Amino acid sequence: MKPVYQAVIKDITDKMGNGMADFARKAAFGDAGVNTVEEYDLYCWYVAGVVGQGLTRLVVEAGLGETNLINHFRLYKSMDLLLLKNNIIRDVREDLDDARRFWPKEIWSKHVDKFEDLFGPENLELALNCSSEMVLNALGHASDCLSYLVGLREQSVFNFCAIPQSMAMATLELCSRNLAVFV
């Protein structure tokens, strides 16, 4: 493996590990949830966005994407935030059962007093409204994803990036106002 590729992988591994350690430390002190949309985006960045940055660097280094793609932080960040937010929305019930809460309090507290209330039968409409807001937050990254894809030169790299985005958007459509998300 070329030394430049090794350096990229080491860099993203360090960034991701340090970022995840920050959230693990926070959870160890009793705050296992995400409070603000800004914190939600930061969590998603450390879990997935750093990898997208590294993949973008690798694609550009290999000559498989436009060289200026690496300068478009918002675009490659959105690629991975959309994917991770999709997973967080889809897996909300599993996360609740495992005592995790990734939906930001800033969003869910507009609809219910306690996160667990989203799962109560008396709060079905409130839960659907909250999930709609979460889906809209995730889809806010969609146009950046399309702009990113324009910068890819090689078909297999395009497919590697476009297929998961398409699947995520389809999953978000299925999750939108769907009570099964909460069961």
Side-chain angles (χ1 to χ4, degrees):
M1 182 181 298
K2 290 183 180 181
V4 67
Y5 299 157
Q6 292 175 17
V8 169
I9 292 167
K10 181 185 180 321
D11 182 49
I12 64 171
T13 303
D14 288 345
K15 286 179 182 175
M16 179 187 260
N18 288 327
M20 293 305 298
D22 290 345
F23 280 91
R25 197 171 13 266
K26 182 178 174 261
F29 288 105
D31 188 4
V34 174
N35 294 306
T36 65
V37 172
E38 181 180 356
E39 187 179 24
Y40 179 49
D41 285 352
L42 183 63
Y43 174 79
C44 291
W45 166 251
Y46 283 130
V47 173
V50 172
V51 174
Q53 180 185 43
L55 287 174
T56 300
R57 289 168 58 193
L58 292 172
V59 164
V60 169
E61 256 327 300
L64 302 173
E66 299 295 327
T67 55
N68 70 347
L69 201 54
I70 196 62
N71 299 323
H72 294 283
F73 173 78
R74 191 182 85 229
L75 300 184
Y76 60 76
K77 179 181 177 184
S78 285
M79 288 287 287
D80 295 302
L81 266 62
L82 177 66
L83 294 177
L84 188 60
K85 288 180 177 186
N86 166 69
N87 294 345
I88 288 170
I89 293 165
R90 182 198 62 214
D91 298 339
V92 66
R93 180 65 205 210
E94 179 184 335
D95 289 335
L96 174 76
D97 292 344
D98 290 338
R100 296 184 302 255
R101 180 178 52 80
F102 299 111
W103 286 27
K105 184 176 184 178
E106 183 179 333
I107 291 178
W108 63 256
S109 66
K110 295 177 195 175
H111 305 279
V112 293
D113 293 327
K114 296 183 303 195
F115 183 68
E116 297 78 15
D117 292 345
L118 289 171
F119 302 86
E122 69 281 4
N123 294 320
L124 297 178
E125 191 62 30
L126 298 172
L128 292 175
N129 293 340
C130 184
S131 71
S132 291
E133 190 169 348
M134 290 294 294
V135 167
L136 289 173
N137 174 279
L139 286 173
H141 300 289
S143 63
D144 285 345
C145 293
L146 295 173
S147 295
Y148 180 92
L149 293 171
V150 168
L152 300 175
R153 294 183 185 157
E154 207 278 322
Q155 187 65 48
S156 66
V157 174
F158 177 86
N159 294 349
F160 176 80
C161 294
I163 291 170
Q165 296 299 330
S166 301
M167 292 172 63
M169 289 182 213
T171 301
L172 288 169
E173 188 275 328
L174 292 173
C175 290
S176 182
R177 299 197 58 80
N178 184 345
L179 287 175
V181 170
F182 298 97
V183 178

